[in-house]
Amino acid sequence: MDKEEINKEIKPIIWDDDNNQLILIDQRALPNELKYFPCNTYEDVAFAIRDMVVRGAPAIGISAAYGMALAEIKNEDIERAYNTLKNTRPTAINLFWTLNRCMNAYNNNKPIIDEAKLIHMEDIEICKKIGKIGEKIIEDGDTILTHCNAGALATSSYGTALSVIRFAYYNGKNIRVIADETRPRLQGAKLTAFELNYEGIPVKIITDNTAGFLMKKGLVDKVIVGADRILKDYTVFNKIGTYSLAILAKYHNIPFYVAAPLSTFDFKNSLNDIEIEERDEKEVLFIDGSRIAPEGVGVYNYAFDSTPPELITGIITEKEIITINKKP
Ligand code: MRU
Protein backbone atom coordinates (compact mmCIF):
# COMPACT_ATOMS: atom_id res chain seq x y z
CA MET A 1 0.00 0.00 0.00
CA ASP A 2 1.45 3.44 -0.87
CA LYS A 3 1.57 6.25 1.67
CA GLU A 4 -1.58 7.98 0.39
CA GLU A 5 -3.59 4.73 0.50
CA ILE A 6 -3.07 4.40 4.25
CA ASN A 7 -4.83 7.70 4.94
CA LYS A 8 -7.87 6.52 2.98
CA GLU A 9 -8.47 3.89 5.65
CA ILE A 10 -9.45 6.56 8.16
CA LYS A 11 -13.09 7.22 7.27
CA PRO A 12 -14.71 9.26 10.02
CA ILE A 13 -18.05 9.52 8.19
CA ILE A 14 -19.68 6.67 6.28
CA TRP A 15 -23.12 6.67 4.69
CA ASP A 16 -24.69 3.20 4.42
CA ASP A 17 -27.17 3.30 1.53
CA ASP A 18 -28.55 -0.19 2.19
CA ASN A 19 -29.65 0.62 5.72
CA ASN A 20 -30.09 4.40 5.45
CA GLN A 21 -27.65 4.82 8.28
CA LEU A 22 -24.88 7.28 9.08
CA ILE A 23 -21.90 5.58 10.67
CA LEU A 24 -19.39 7.75 12.51
CA ILE A 25 -16.08 6.84 14.07
CA ASP A 26 -16.74 7.40 17.77
CA GLN A 27 -13.95 9.90 18.43
CA ARG A 28 -14.62 9.78 22.16
CA ALA A 29 -13.10 6.30 22.27
CA LEU A 30 -9.88 7.09 20.39
CA PRO A 31 -7.00 6.34 20.55
CA ASN A 32 -7.69 3.26 22.68
CA GLU A 33 -10.55 1.85 20.66
CA LEU A 34 -11.65 2.26 17.04
CA LYS A 35 -15.40 1.87 17.34
CA TYR A 36 -18.36 3.17 15.40
CA PHE A 37 -21.46 5.14 16.33
CA PRO A 38 -24.50 4.42 14.13
CA CYS A 39 -27.03 7.22 13.58
CA ASN A 40 -30.53 6.24 12.46
CA THR A 41 -32.27 9.55 13.09
CA TYR A 42 -31.41 13.24 12.95
CA GLU A 43 -31.63 13.25 16.75
CA ASP A 44 -28.84 10.65 16.85
CA VAL A 45 -26.75 12.96 14.66
CA ALA A 46 -27.52 15.97 16.86
CA PHE A 47 -26.41 13.98 19.90
CA ALA A 48 -23.22 12.87 18.10
CA ILE A 49 -22.30 16.48 17.32
CA ARG A 50 -23.17 17.83 20.78
CA ASP A 51 -21.34 15.06 22.61
CA MET A 52 -18.31 15.19 20.27
CA VAL A 53 -18.66 11.70 18.84
CA VAL A 54 -17.87 13.68 15.70
CA ARG A 55 -16.07 17.01 15.90
CA GLY A 56 -14.05 19.38 13.72
CA ALA A 57 -15.74 22.01 11.58
CA PRO A 58 -16.05 20.21 8.21
CA ALA A 59 -16.94 16.85 9.82
CA ILE A 60 -19.71 18.45 11.86
CA GLY A 61 -21.09 20.07 8.70
CA ILE A 62 -21.07 16.85 6.68
CA SER A 63 -22.67 14.87 9.52
CA ALA A 64 -25.41 17.48 9.93
CA ALA A 65 -26.18 17.24 6.19
CA TYR A 66 -26.69 13.49 6.58
CA GLY A 67 -28.85 14.26 9.63
CA MET A 68 -31.12 16.36 7.39
CA ALA A 69 -31.19 13.51 4.88
CA LEU A 70 -32.21 11.06 7.62
CA ALA A 71 -35.06 13.38 8.62
CA GLU A 72 -36.33 13.41 5.03
CA ILE A 73 -35.95 9.66 4.59
CA LYS A 74 -37.90 9.06 7.84
CA ASN A 75 -40.61 11.57 6.84
CA GLU A 76 -39.86 13.79 9.80
CA ASP A 77 -40.42 17.52 10.15
CA ILE A 78 -37.54 19.10 8.18
CA GLU A 79 -37.78 22.51 9.88
CA ARG A 80 -37.52 20.81 13.23
CA ALA A 81 -34.52 18.75 12.15
CA TYR A 82 -32.87 21.91 10.79
CA ASN A 83 -33.38 23.79 14.07
CA THR A 84 -32.26 20.88 16.23
CA LEU A 85 -29.06 20.39 14.24
CA LYS A 86 -28.42 24.14 14.03
CA ASN A 87 -28.46 24.38 17.81
CA THR A 88 -25.87 21.69 18.47
CA ARG A 89 -22.69 23.81 18.38
CA PRO A 90 -22.48 27.56 17.72
CA THR A 91 -19.01 28.54 16.51
CA ALA A 92 -17.98 26.58 13.40
CA ILE A 93 -19.65 28.05 10.33
CA ASN A 94 -19.61 24.81 8.32
CA LEU A 95 -22.60 23.49 10.25
CA PHE A 96 -24.81 26.39 9.16
CA TRP A 97 -23.41 26.36 5.62
CA THR A 98 -24.26 22.68 5.01
CA LEU A 99 -27.64 22.92 6.75
CA ASN A 100 -28.57 25.81 4.47
CA ARG A 101 -27.44 23.88 1.41
CA CYS A 102 -29.66 20.98 2.46
CA MET A 103 -32.60 23.29 3.12
CA ASN A 104 -32.19 24.84 -0.36
CA ALA A 105 -32.12 21.38 -1.92
CA TYR A 106 -35.29 20.47 -0.03
CA ASN A 107 -37.04 23.69 -1.10
CA ASN A 108 -36.09 22.93 -4.70
CA ASN A 109 -37.50 19.38 -4.47
CA LYS A 110 -34.10 17.76 -4.68
CA PRO A 111 -33.45 14.75 -2.41
CA ILE A 112 -31.45 15.93 0.61
CA ILE A 113 -29.43 12.73 0.57
CA ASP A 114 -28.01 13.67 -2.85
CA GLU A 115 -26.93 17.06 -1.50
CA ALA A 116 -25.38 15.45 1.60
CA LYS A 117 -23.40 13.00 -0.54
CA LEU A 118 -22.27 15.87 -2.77
CA ILE A 119 -21.09 17.91 0.24
CA HIS A 120 -19.23 14.85 1.49
CA MET A 121 -17.52 14.09 -1.86
CA GLU A 122 -16.66 17.76 -2.43
CA ASP A 123 -14.95 17.91 0.96
CA ILE A 124 -12.64 15.02 0.09
CA GLU A 125 -11.49 16.83 -3.05
CA ILE A 126 -11.17 20.17 -1.23
CA CYS A 127 -9.02 18.65 1.52
CA LYS A 128 -6.79 17.04 -1.09
CA LYS A 129 -6.37 20.36 -2.90
CA ILE A 130 -5.53 22.16 0.35
CA GLY A 131 -2.83 19.57 0.96
CA LYS A 132 -1.38 19.78 -2.54
CA ILE A 133 -1.36 23.58 -2.60
CA GLY A 134 -0.18 23.97 0.99
CA GLU A 135 2.63 21.44 1.01
CA LYS A 136 4.73 23.92 -0.99
CA ILE A 137 5.30 25.99 2.15
CA ILE A 138 6.96 23.02 3.84
CA GLU A 139 10.67 22.51 3.43
CA ASP A 140 12.56 19.28 3.74
CA GLY A 141 13.54 18.89 7.37
CA ASP A 142 10.80 21.12 8.80
CA THR A 143 9.25 20.56 12.20
CA ILE A 144 5.64 21.68 12.19
CA LEU A 145 3.61 22.49 15.26
CA THR A 146 -0.15 21.99 15.10
CA HIS A 147 -2.99 22.52 17.54
CA CYS A 148 -6.15 20.51 18.18
CA ASN A 149 -7.07 18.14 15.35
CA ALA A 150 -7.46 19.45 11.81
CA GLY A 151 -7.02 16.05 10.23
CA ALA A 152 -8.98 13.32 8.48
CA LEU A 153 -11.04 12.85 11.64
CA ALA A 154 -12.12 16.51 11.57
CA THR A 155 -13.13 16.37 7.91
CA SER A 156 -14.08 13.75 5.33
CA SER A 157 -10.52 12.61 4.71
CA TYR A 158 -6.94 14.00 4.70
CA GLY A 159 -7.87 17.04 6.83
CA THR A 160 -6.89 20.69 6.36
CA ALA A 161 -3.74 21.48 8.37
CA LEU A 162 -2.91 17.77 8.44
CA SER A 163 -3.53 17.47 4.70
CA VAL A 164 -0.71 19.97 4.15
CA ILE A 165 1.50 17.89 6.42
CA ARG A 166 0.38 14.62 4.77
CA PHE A 167 1.13 15.79 1.24
CA ALA A 168 4.57 17.05 2.27
CA TYR A 169 5.19 13.57 3.64
CA TYR A 170 3.73 11.82 0.57
CA ASN A 171 6.10 13.94 -1.56
CA GLY A 172 9.05 12.55 0.33
CA LYS A 173 9.83 15.53 2.54
CA ASN A 174 11.50 14.60 5.76
CA ILE A 175 9.22 16.26 8.33
CA ARG A 176 8.34 16.00 11.97
CA VAL A 177 5.18 17.09 13.72
CA ILE A 178 4.63 18.43 17.21
CA ALA A 179 1.03 18.18 18.39
CA ASP A 180 -0.25 20.32 21.25
CA GLU A 181 -2.23 17.97 23.49
CA THR A 182 -5.08 20.57 23.45
CA ARG A 183 -6.73 20.62 26.84
CA PRO A 184 -9.39 19.95 27.89
CA ARG A 185 -10.61 17.47 25.25
CA LEU A 186 -7.10 16.45 24.16
CA GLN A 187 -7.79 16.35 20.43
CA GLY A 188 -4.06 16.76 19.78
CA ALA A 189 -2.99 13.83 21.94
CA LYS A 190 -5.93 11.55 21.21
CA LEU A 191 -6.70 12.32 17.56
CA THR A 192 -3.86 14.14 15.79
CA ALA A 193 -1.22 11.86 17.30
CA PHE A 194 -3.40 8.82 16.48
CA GLU A 195 -3.81 9.79 12.82
CA LEU A 196 -0.21 10.69 12.19
CA ASN A 197 1.18 7.75 14.09
CA TYR A 198 -1.16 5.43 12.13
CA GLU A 199 0.43 6.66 8.92
CA GLY A 200 3.99 6.59 10.19
CA ILE A 201 4.42 10.38 10.17
CA PRO A 202 6.81 11.21 13.04
CA VAL A 203 4.88 12.98 15.81
CA LYS A 204 5.57 14.07 19.36
CA ILE A 205 2.96 15.48 21.70
CA ILE A 206 3.53 18.32 24.14
CA THR A 207 1.50 19.90 26.90
CA ASP A 208 -0.01 23.13 25.59
CA ASN A 209 2.28 25.24 27.74
CA THR A 210 5.46 23.76 26.21
CA ALA A 211 5.12 25.47 22.80
CA GLY A 212 6.90 28.72 23.73
CA PHE A 213 9.87 26.89 25.21
CA LEU A 214 10.31 24.78 22.07
CA MET A 215 10.07 27.85 19.87
CA LYS A 216 12.72 29.59 21.93
CA LYS A 217 14.97 26.55 21.53
CA GLY A 218 14.55 26.78 17.72
CA LEU A 219 12.70 23.47 17.52
CA VAL A 220 9.67 24.75 15.58
CA ASP A 221 9.90 25.86 11.92
CA LYS A 222 6.22 26.45 11.16
CA VAL A 223 2.84 26.43 12.82
CA ILE A 224 -0.18 25.19 10.85
CA VAL A 225 -3.68 25.05 12.32
CA GLY A 226 -7.23 24.63 11.02
CA ALA A 227 -10.15 27.04 11.37
CA ASP A 228 -13.78 26.99 12.43
CA ARG A 229 -14.64 30.36 10.94
CA ILE A 230 -12.72 33.11 9.14
CA LEU A 231 -14.04 36.66 8.93
CA LYS A 232 -13.60 38.90 5.90
CA ASP A 233 -10.75 40.77 7.61
CA TYR A 234 -9.06 37.34 8.05
CA THR A 235 -9.70 37.04 11.78
CA VAL A 236 -9.56 33.30 12.44
CA PHE A 237 -11.69 31.43 14.96
CA ASN A 238 -10.18 28.12 15.98
CA LYS A 239 -9.68 25.89 19.01
CA ILE A 240 -8.92 27.70 22.25
CA GLY A 241 -5.18 28.22 22.51
CA THR A 242 -4.69 29.12 18.85
CA TYR A 243 -4.44 32.81 19.70
CA SER A 244 -1.72 32.24 22.32
CA LEU A 245 0.18 30.08 19.83
CA ALA A 246 -0.01 32.79 17.17
CA ILE A 247 1.39 35.37 19.59
CA LEU A 248 4.24 33.01 20.48
CA ALA A 249 4.95 32.37 16.80
CA LYS A 250 5.03 36.10 16.05
CA TYR A 251 7.43 36.76 18.93
CA HIS A 252 9.78 34.04 17.67
CA ASN A 253 9.46 34.98 13.95
CA ILE A 254 7.92 31.62 13.07
CA PRO A 255 5.46 31.50 10.12
CA PHE A 256 1.90 30.88 11.31
CA TYR A 257 -0.44 29.36 8.71
CA VAL A 258 -4.13 28.52 8.77
CA ALA A 259 -5.50 25.84 6.43
CA ALA A 260 -9.23 25.88 5.70
CA PRO A 261 -11.76 25.45 2.88
CA LEU A 262 -13.29 28.59 1.38
CA SER A 263 -16.61 27.58 2.94
CA THR A 264 -15.09 28.52 6.31
CA PHE A 265 -15.20 32.21 5.34
CA ASP A 266 -17.96 34.27 6.92
CA PHE A 267 -18.40 37.48 4.91
CA LYS A 268 -21.50 38.60 6.80
CA ASN A 269 -20.65 38.72 10.48
CA SER A 270 -18.09 40.64 12.47
CA LEU A 271 -16.07 39.77 15.55
CA ASN A 272 -18.68 40.51 18.20
CA ASP A 273 -21.43 38.64 16.35
CA ILE A 274 -19.71 35.28 16.75
CA GLU A 275 -20.72 33.10 19.65
CA ILE A 276 -17.79 31.39 21.28
CA GLU A 277 -18.98 28.06 22.60
CA GLU A 278 -18.66 27.55 26.34
CA ARG A 279 -18.67 23.91 27.28
CA ASP A 280 -19.42 22.04 30.49
CA GLU A 281 -17.09 22.91 33.37
CA LYS A 282 -16.66 19.18 34.05
CA GLU A 283 -14.38 18.99 30.99
CA VAL A 284 -11.86 21.08 32.94
CA LEU A 285 -12.60 19.96 36.48
CA PHE A 286 -12.22 16.23 35.87
CA ILE A 287 -9.56 14.07 34.25
CA ASP A 288 -10.52 10.44 33.65
CA GLY A 289 -13.35 10.79 36.14
CA SER A 290 -11.17 12.23 38.93
CA ARG A 291 -11.72 15.76 40.17
CA ILE A 292 -8.55 17.87 39.83
CA ALA A 293 -9.69 21.05 41.61
CA PRO A 294 -11.51 21.64 44.89
CA GLU A 295 -15.32 21.70 45.04
CA GLY A 296 -16.68 25.20 44.59
CA VAL A 297 -13.94 26.41 42.21
CA GLY A 298 -15.22 28.11 39.06
CA VAL A 299 -14.09 27.43 35.49
CA TYR A 300 -13.69 29.23 32.18
CA ASN A 301 -14.21 26.64 29.46
CA TYR A 302 -14.32 28.54 26.18
CA ALA A 303 -13.90 26.08 23.31
CA PHE A 304 -12.59 28.59 20.74
CA ASP A 305 -10.72 31.87 20.46
CA SER A 306 -10.07 34.40 17.71
CA THR A 307 -6.71 35.25 16.18
CA PRO A 308 -6.31 38.65 14.47
CA PRO A 309 -4.86 38.88 10.94
CA GLU A 310 -1.67 40.63 12.02
CA LEU A 311 -0.54 37.37 13.62
CA ILE A 312 -1.21 35.22 10.56
CA THR A 313 1.30 34.64 7.76
CA GLY A 314 -1.14 33.08 5.32
CA ILE A 315 -4.35 31.13 4.81
CA ILE A 316 -4.16 27.96 2.71
CA THR A 317 -7.39 27.26 0.83
CA GLU A 318 -8.33 24.84 -1.96
CA LYS A 319 -7.74 27.65 -4.50
CA GLU A 320 -4.61 29.45 -3.30
CA ILE A 321 -2.46 30.52 -0.40
CA ILE A 322 -3.68 33.94 0.69
CA THR A 323 -0.67 35.87 1.95
CA ILE A 324 -1.66 38.08 4.86
CA ASN A 325 1.74 39.13 6.18
CA LYS A 326 4.91 38.77 4.12
CA LYS A 327 6.98 38.37 7.26
CA PRO A 328 5.99 36.19 10.22
O1 MRU B 1 -14.13 21.37 19.41
P1 MRU B 1 -13.66 20.75 18.13
O2 MRU B 1 -12.84 19.52 18.34
O3 MRU B 1 -14.79 20.54 17.16
O4 MRU B 1 -12.71 21.85 17.50
C1 MRU B 1 -12.06 21.57 16.30
C2 MRU B 1 -11.12 22.62 15.87
O5 MRU B 1 -10.99 23.66 16.46
C3 MRU B 1 -10.42 22.38 14.59
O6 MRU B 1 -9.11 22.86 14.62
C4 MRU B 1 -11.20 23.08 13.48
O7 MRU B 1 -12.51 22.63 13.48
C5 MRU B 1 -10.60 22.86 12.14
S1 MRU B 1 -10.89 21.21 11.61
C6 MRU B 1 -10.38 20.96 10.03
Side-chain angles (χ1 to χ4, degrees), residues 20 24 27 54 100 157 159 169 174-175 178 186 200 212 225 231 246 249 261 268 271 292-293 303:
N20 285 328
L24 300 168
Q27 300 191 26
V54 61
N100 289 339
S157 188
Y169 174 73
N174 177 23
I175 54 162
I178 296 170
L186 301 172
V225 298
L231 303 184
K268 273 201 236 137
L271 193 63
I292 57 157

Side-chain angles (χ1 to χ4, degrees), residues 196-271:
L196 296 177
N197 190 50
Y198 188 79
E199 270 190 78
I201 302 175
V203 57
K204 282 189 175 168
I205 63 162
I206 56 170
T207 58
D208 298 322
N209 40 18
T210 301
F213 179 66
L214 294 189
M215 288 182 183
K216 193 173 176 191
K217 279 169 82 74
L219 294 178
V220 178
D221 298 300
K222 274 164 197 116
V223 178
I224 313 180
V225 298
D228 291 86
R229 195 185 282 251
I230 303 174
L231 303 184
K232 60 176 177 294
D233 70 351
Y234 300 128
T235 296
V236 168
F237 290 81
N238 192 48
K239 177 56 54 196
I240 192 82
T242 302
Y243 174 49
S244 323
L245 208 54
I247 293 174
L248 285 171
K250 179 90 178 167
Y251 184 80
H252 292 94
N253 292 314
I254 296 168
F256 184 93
Y257 285 94
V258 175
L262 289 166
S263 54
T264 308
F265 279 84
D266 176 352
F267 295 107
K268 273 201 236 137
N269 293 297
S270 44
L271 193 63

